[in-house]
């Protein structure tokens, strides 16, 4: 049965990004390079997790994850990832400002959703068919879906450093019941998978 999954890289103190994100600093102030070092410096050691991240058939993300642009859209901005984003599937971007879909190379099309998190999830489920849907982030978006009880499986990738401030997973989320599915330590990360109990 298709699931709603979420992968999030966080510091040991729970932050997925620092403060003051900009185009030059997509993960904000502070030494945020450690958040995703496991993906780029030791990809073979983490191949199973990287494959899981890429497996969903549709994705939902917040506008801040798509880019640092605020207010009305600058249509020249097409995301952080260049002409061939890593999703290779439909991506539904939460926003308050309407914008036409943005087709990219490799099968990714960004769709911009102004009707809220449940509408974006409905669209993503329809696009994914029998495949999983991923809530891709950032933490503010993930927290909205967690608070609404709309995530089935949460995969935390915990980097061995503290950030001290920024956007934290679980902020504003009511108490959750989690069942640990797995935990695996690697050189630059510990992967912990939870199933959310209803």
């Amino acid at each position: 049965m298709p699931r709603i999954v979420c992968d999030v890289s966080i510091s040991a103190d729970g932050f997925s990004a620092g403060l003051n994100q900009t185009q030059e600093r997509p993960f904000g102030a502070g030494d945020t390079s450690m958040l995703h070092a496991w993906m780029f410096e030791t990809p073979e050691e983490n191949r199973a997790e990287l494959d899981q991240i890429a497996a969903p058939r549709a994705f939902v993300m917040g506008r801040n994850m798509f880019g640092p642009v605020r207010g009305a859209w600058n249509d020249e901005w097409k995301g952080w990832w260049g002409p061939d984003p890593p999703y290779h599937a439909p991506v539904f971007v939460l926003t308050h400002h309407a914008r036409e879909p943005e087709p990219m190379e490799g099968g990714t099309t960004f769709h911009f959703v102004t009707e809220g998190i449940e509408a974006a999830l409905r669209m993503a489920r329809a696009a994914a068919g029998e495949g999983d849907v991923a809530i891709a982030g950032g933490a503010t978006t993930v927290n909205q879906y967690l608070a609404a009880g709309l995530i089935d499986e949460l995969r935390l990738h915990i980097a061995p450093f503290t950030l001290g401030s920024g956007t934290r997973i679980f902020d504003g989320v009511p108490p959750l019941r989690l069942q640990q599915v797995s935990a695996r330590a690697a050189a630059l990360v510990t992967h912990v998978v939870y199933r959310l109990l209803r």
Side-chain angles (χ1 to χ4, degrees):
M1 183 172 178
R3 300 167 302 166
I4 310 305
V5 300
C6 176
D7 286 271
V8 136
S9 290
I10 59 172
S11 61
D13 53 348
F15 293 100
S16 70
L19 298 171
N20 304 316
Q21 292 167 279
T22 66
Q23 189 169 343
E24 295 74 30
R25 296 183 313 201
F27 295 103
D31 184 11
T32 57
S33 63
M34 285 285 293
L35 283 170
H36 300 98
W38 66 274
M39 301 174 88
F40 303 109
E41 295 179 24
T42 56
E44 289 312 312
E45 185 183 11
N46 300 287
R47 180 55 50 202
E49 289 80 12
L50 291 170
D51 288 347
Q52 274 191 323
I53 290 170
R57 301 289 300 277
F59 297 82
V60 176
M61 69 173 59
R63 179 171 176 170
N64 202 45
M65 184 164 174
F66 180 75
V69 182
R70 300 292 177 265
W73 284 105
N74 168 1
D75 288 345
E76 292 179 13
W77 180 261
K78 301 183 188 317
W80 302 106
W81 305 276
D84 185 7
Y87 300 101
H88 309 293
V91 179
F92 297 86
V93 180
L94 295 161
T95 178
H96 295 294
H97 298 270
R99 178 174 171 173
E100 290 300 309
E102 192 69 61
M104 306 291 284
E105 295 175 17
T108 300
T109 297
F110 292 107
H111 302 270
F112 300 90
V113 181
T114 59
E115 297 88 359
I117 65 169
E118 292 186 4
L121 184 56
R122 279 195 305 274
M123 293 175 197
R125 279 182 160 149
E130 293 302 308
D132 289 347
V133 171
I135 307 303
T140 301
T141 296
V142 172
N143 289 341
Q144 290 179 64
Y145 280 98
L146 287 171
L150 295 174
I151 292 177
D152 300 314
E153 187 170 285
L154 179 63
R155 306 165 186 159
L156 298 179
H157 309 285
I158 306 165
F161 81 111
T162 60
L163 195 50
S165 63
T167 308
R168 191 193 306 257
I169 194 77
F170 300 123
D171 271 357
V173 176
L176 300 173
R177 293 180 59 227
L178 307 173
Q179 177 184 23
Q180 185 170 306
V181 175
S182 64
R184 187 179 78 81
L188 299 177
V189 66
T190 299
H191 305 285
V192 183
V193 178
Y194 294 106
R195 183 174 297 118
L196 277 82
L197 303 177
R198 305 293 195 262

